Structure formats: structure tokens, C-alpha cells
Amino acid sequence: MSNAESTVSMRGVTKTFPGVIANADVSIDFHKGEIHALLGENGAGKSTLMNVLTGIYRQNGGEVFVDGKKVEFNKAADAIDAGIGMVHQHFKLVKAFTVAQNLHMGWSKTPAWISHAQLNQSANEIAEEFGLSINPEAYIDELSAGAQQRVEILRVLARGTQVLIVDEPTAVLTPPEVESLFKVLRALKASGRTIIFISHKLDEVLDISDRVTVLRGGKVVATHASKDMTTQSLANLMVGRDVLFERMDRHHASDAERHEVLRLEDVSAVHESGAAALTNVNLSISAFEILGVAGVAGNGQRSLSEVIAGVRPVTAGKVKINAHDIAKLGADDVAELGVGHIPEDRLKSGFAGDLPVSANAVLRVYREEPVSSGIWYHEGAAVALAEQMVAEAEVSTPDVHVPLRNLSGGNQQRLIAKRECQIADQLLIAVYPMRGLDVGAVERLRAMIMERRNAGAAVILVSEELDELLELSDRIAVLNHGRIVGTLDVEDATLERIGLMMGGEKVEVKN
């Protein structure tokens, strides 16, 4: 049965969906007063297992014990009542509401009638109890990602949570926010709570966790003390083979080969609200080059990528591809010039989730031979091309006829990366392409990006992972409040210098 020191024990848990075994005979103990990391590739079964534990899914087999007692959760509320809560990667807050309103929304202890003053006082008391600083009157859409996450954690803890599940909690946080979060998690651990930490960032896993369990193919392959593991050994367990982390080989182009592909001249753009998004941006990138773009989230990275891809109009300046001004061209026209774009939000901007994998795979070429001829669309040709792309990108899917939304996030990202790389003869724009992906998917995407660079395309790589930029880039440009602070050759770049530039320190710009 369950281990005496375990807060939660899962024994032989199996969960299946039509044609898919998501979890197969999974047994794990989560101990009181520990941070237990749960690792696995995208699609390994982590989310499904946690959905069983939080009452969203019912298992097909196996048992769950909480504090030694067998439990059966028919709905999420049952798990909450048993002291199990989850902070999801994508926050579940209402942005138009205040912090206090979000904390009390849907909570049975919130009186039917309560004044704003009482609501704010209650929120302050909750924050004080758990040692987390908040402004109860602030609206959610005014808060940073780290502050929003604190509100999510408080919402869960206020409802009596003893087992806290955090899913990719550092994906959108700055380094100081990560440090702040880890202080909170260690304090919760010290209070006797159980923390289940799901992440793909192996260095963070080793820093914060006491033990780590690795899932692969829906099964537990290992549980170890974190102090006995390395990032390399964890990566190998996750993927089932040796994973390469070293800097990838790159083609050293001659001066004749390195012609300028993209140039931005005094480019400005605005947000939908009319506020400045980019201001007087000057930038260039050549063939056989990866230009990394660094900056704290929300400092113009997305707007920069959209301007170059033809998604966002410019209000001033010129955007040139191979010396031709494209500032007034739309996204389709820019793509036809050989520009691929892996957007920040793949489901909103990159895919049609309800359409099959085959249709999404050929979105960029559906008007071209052999997929189309004249007004005729050839389904068989589209399926054949999609199957080829799925195989080459190592996308895991039952077949290319299933809806795209049924694929895991990592498999969706592999597919969009393959699709955009295939058209990126001149320029590839990759915006946070590795965010939230497992080490196997990251390794594959890095290889795709480097292949484009070595084939002669220019690559713009936007990332919040500075180590990633240093490993892949030839040069790194830093954005701060929509302006280019400076551009460094990677040989001159250090984490400390880039960090200072992200805060607005000026350096000489190399264009």
C-alpha cells in the first residue's frame, strides 16, 4: 500500500484514451516536506498523471492514497477538498479583476456580500499568512508574470492545499522572479507541504528538488535523489539515449557568402493600444548568421518579429529583405520571399487547432504543386507531404488525420518548426521556439535552426534563455523598452554584460 511518510501515493495508475496509453502502471510516492520533481519528454504522461491526481481525469486502473487513505476523485473539487492544488503554466486568473477579487472568486468561504475594503483586508491577511507580498487592489493585467504567479499560488494555498503542483513555473519568469519563487517553494517545503515541481529546465530541477522521478512513454523509468544526478544523466533518462548539449558545428562562411539578408532602418511600430512597441530600431543580419535577440519579456521582442514577418505594420522606417523594402507587404507576401516564422504563440498564430495535422503541415504551400493545381486541392498529395514532414521532424502522432490540438505541445512545436524551416530559404524568425520543451525536442529544434543557418539562411532567434543564445548565436542584440541597446559578437558576450544591457545599459551598436 502507501508509504507511511508519503503524503500522496499513486499505485499502479493507468490512464488510457482511444488508441493511446497515457499512463501505464505508474507508482510514485510524494513525501511530506519535500520538493519532488517530475520530468519527462512532451507526451511522456506527466500532465495526464497530474490531471488524475487533481481530479480532472479518472484513472482506468490503480489507486491513489492521500495521508494513507485511499481516495477517489470524481471532480477537481474533490481533490481540492483533499488538500491537493495545482498552479498551471498558463495562469487561470481573470485579468479584468483585482488581486483580491481573484483570490476570493469561486471560494466557498467568501461571503455572498462583502465590501471592497473587507475583500482587500482578507487578501492581505492571506498574503501575510504565507509570506507573499501582493497589492490586493492591483488589476491582474497590470502585474508582471511573477506577481501573477504569486496570486495563483495564494489562491491555491488559501484553500488548504498541502500538496502543491507547479507546472513549468519558471517558463515566463525573469531570473530575479525565479529566485523569488524558489524562496517561496522552500518556505512551503519547510512548513511541511509537499511540492510537485514539473519543469524541463534541468539545472533548475537539480537546484530546487530533493528527489526526481522520470517518466518515459507513460511509465516510470527512475526515481533518484536529485543530489545524485546531473543534467546529462537526467536528459539521458528522459530521452532514452545520450543527448548532445555541446555547441553545434557551424559552417564558417566566406565574406562573399555573407551577404546582407535583412536590414531595419529607424523602424518604429505601435501596439494595438497605440503605445510605442518599437522605437527607431536599426538592425542587420547576414546569410550564414544567427542573430540572438535578448530582453526581459515584453520589451518589444514579439513586435520585432511581427514587423519582420509582415504581421505588424511599421509606423516609420524601412524593413528590407535582400535590399527590397517589405514594410508595406503582408505576411503571405513576406513568406513568399523565403521567410519562415515560428511565432511566440503557436496555437493563436501558427496553427488551426481543429484542422488535421495534414492541413496544418501544408498551410504554407497549399496553393502550390503538388498540393494544388489551379483551383483543385489534392488531399492525397497533402497527406503524403505531411507524413514526410512528420517523419523528418520526429513528430509523435497516431496519423496525420487527427486534429492538431490533440498533439502535445512539443510535437506541435516540432511540426511548426519543420514547416517554417522548409520555406525559410532566406530568413527564419524563431520566437521562443524552445520554451516549455523537453530536452529531446530542444535538441531536435536546435538542429533544425542550425541546419537553416548552415544552409545559408539568416536566422533571428528570440529567447529568454541567455545560455541558449550564447550557445547558438553568432551575434546577440538586446532590446529594452522597444529600443536596441546594443549588439555584441558572441565572443564578447557574457551573462553579466547581457544582463546589464537588458536593464538598459548602453553599449556600442554593431550593425
Side-chain angles (χ1 to χ4, degrees):
M1 210 176 96
S2 59
N3 188 312
E5 61 180 341
S6 297
T7 303
V8 171
S9 291
M10 307 185 81
R11 288 285 173 267
V13 170
T14 297
K15 177 61 182 176
T16 62
F17 299 97
V20 178
I21 301 175
N23 295 132
D25 194 27
V26 172
S27 294
I28 306 180
D29 291 314
F30 299 105
H31 295 168
K32 181 177 181 180
E34 79 162 348
I35 299 177
H36 193 132
L38 192 61
L39 296 182
E41 291 191 275
N42 299 108
K46 306 184 301 296
S47 296
T48 299
L49 190 67
M50 291 301 98
N51 283 336
V52 168
L53 185 54
T54 54
I56 296 173
Y57 293 156
R58 291 198 66 181
Q59 68 267 32
N60 301 102
E63 299 173 318
V64 178
F65 298 86
V66 176
D67 293 328
K69 297 179 181 178
K70 182 179 177 180
V71 295
E72 293 186 8
F73 299 147
N74 296 310
K75 54 185 182 298
D78 295 339
I80 293 172
D81 291 341
I84 298 172
M86 184 167 181
V87 175
H88 295 269
Q89 179 180 357
H90 303 290
F91 305 141
K92 307 294 183 182
L93 302 172
V94 179
K95 293 188 175 182
F97 286 8
T98 67
V99 168
Q101 289 169 332
N102 272 277
L103 286 178
H104 291 84
M105 185 173 56
W107 190 15
S108 60
K109 291 187 178 181
T110 303
W113 300 100
I114 185 171
S115 68
H116 285 294
Q118 291 172 318
L119 205 65
N120 292 337
Q121 180 182 350
S122 175
N124 278 325
E125 290 171 355
I126 293 169
E128 185 176 350
E129 178 183 355
F130 295 106
L132 292 175
S133 175
I134 60 165
N135 175 6
E137 298 181 73
Y139 286 91
I140 295 299
D141 61 2
E142 299 172 348
L143 301 180
S144 69
Q148 290 184 37
Q149 188 178 68
R150 287 197 295 274
V151 178
E152 281 274 30
I153 292 173
L154 283 174
R155 280 190 77 232
V156 174
L157 293 177
R159 286 149 175 80
T161 293
Q162 295 300 308
V163 179
L164 177 65
I165 305 164
V166 286
D167 184 14
E168 296 292 345
T170 66
V172 296
L173 302 186
T174 64
E177 287 174 331
V178 171
E179 185 178 346
S180 176
L181 170 66
F182 281 9
K183 287 182 180 178
V184 171
L185 295 183
R186 290 187 175 109
L188 293 173
K189 165 190 165 181
S191 72
R193 288 177 173 81
T194 301
I195 313 296
I196 301 175
F197 185 88
I198 304 172
S199 178
H200 291 116
K201 299 182 179 181
L202 302 185
D203 54 342
E204 291 181 355
V205 165
L206 293 177
D207 179 23
I208 192 65
S209 66
D210 301 293
R211 292 190 301 144
V212 55
T213 293
V214 178
L215 294 179
R216 190 169 70 239
K219 299 179 180 180
V220 173
V221 294
T223 297
H224 293 293
S226 300
K227 63 181 177 62
D228 298 330
M229 304 304 290
T230 65
T231 56
Q232 185 69 62
S233 62
L234 288 176
N236 294 350
L237 281 172
M238 290 171 63
V239 180
R241 57 174 173 80
D242 289 342
V243 177
L244 302 176
F245 283 111
E246 65 266 18
R247 187 177 174 92
M248 297 181 179
D249 292 335
R250 59 190 66 214
H251 172 75
H252 295 286
S254 66
D255 291 341
E257 290 177 309
R258 288 172 56 84
H259 64 276
E260 185 177 82
V261 173
L262 173 72
R263 174 170 287 273
L264 277 69
E265 299 176 356
D266 295 319
V267 169
S268 296
V270 297
H271 293 295
E272 288 75 6
S273 64
L278 299 173
T279 305
N280 298 330
V281 170
N282 290 281
L283 205 61
S284 70
I285 180 171
S286 300
F288 296 98
E289 181 181 29
I290 296 177
L291 177 69
V293 178
V296 177
N299 273 261
Q301 298 95 314
R302 181 173 183 171
S303 297
L304 177 66
S305 69
E306 290 176 343
V307 160
I308 299 168
V311 177
R312 182 179 298 275
V314 302
T315 54
K318 295 181 179 180
V319 181
K320 296 180 178 180
I321 292 181
N322 293 323
H324 300 292
D325 192 358
I326 65 161
K328 295 183 179 179
L329 296 184
D332 287 345
D333 296 324
V334 172
E336 288 181 2
L337 295 175
V339 179
H341 179 209
I342 304 173
E344 178 180 4
D345 190 330
R346 57 181 171 257
L347 286 179
K348 282 187 178 179
S349 307
F351 284 130
D354 291 332
L355 292 181
V357 170
S358 59
N360 280 282
V362 301
L363 274 177
R364 289 296 203 181
V365 295
Y366 74 92
R367 290 177 292 189
E368 302 175 10
E369 295 279 0
V371 179
S372 293
S373 55
I375 63 171
W376 303 107
Y377 177 77
H378 303 301
E379 176 70 22
V383 168
L385 179 57
E387 288 176 342
Q388 178 184 341
M389 293 172 64
V390 162
E392 291 178 355
E394 300 177 8
V395 176
S396 178
T397 178
D399 56 59
V400 298
H401 303 290
V402 301
L404 187 281
R405 55 181 160 74
N406 288 5
L407 271 60
S408 70
N411 285 302
Q412 291 175 6
Q413 192 75 339
R414 291 187 197 205
L415 182 62
I416 194 172
K418 180 63 178 179
R419 186 189 73 196
E420 298 304 307
C421 283
Q422 287 203 167
I423 69 166
D425 297 327
Q426 298 298 315
L427 174 67
L428 175 65
I429 309 162
V431 187
Y432 309 121
M434 272 74 85
R435 178 187 279 173
L437 299 186
D438 60 73
V439 289
V442 166
E443 182 187 41
R444 183 67 187 131
L445 259 67
R446 286 187 176 193
M448 288 187 197
I449 290 170
M450 190 59 67
E451 186 278 330
R452 280 293 82 210
R453 182 252 185 230
N454 288 343
V459 179
I460 294 178
L461 174 62
V462 180
S463 177
E464 292 164 347
E465 300 294 331
L466 299 187
D467 288 334
E468 181 174 274
L469 292 178
L470 290 170
E471 289 170 11
L472 294 178
S473 304
D474 298 287
R475 290 185 300 137
I476 297 175
V478 181
L479 273 171
N480 177 267
H481 295 298
R483 297 176 182 270
I484 296 291
V485 178
T487 305
L488 299 170
D489 289 333
V490 72
E491 291 80 7
D492 301 325
T494 63
L495 291 174
E496 292 76 16
R497 190 172 190 189
I498 296 172
L500 290 172
M501 292 168 67
M502 288 167 65
E505 181 175 302
K506 297 282 186 181
V507 299
E508 181 184 353
V509 177
K510 298 179 182 179
N511 283 329

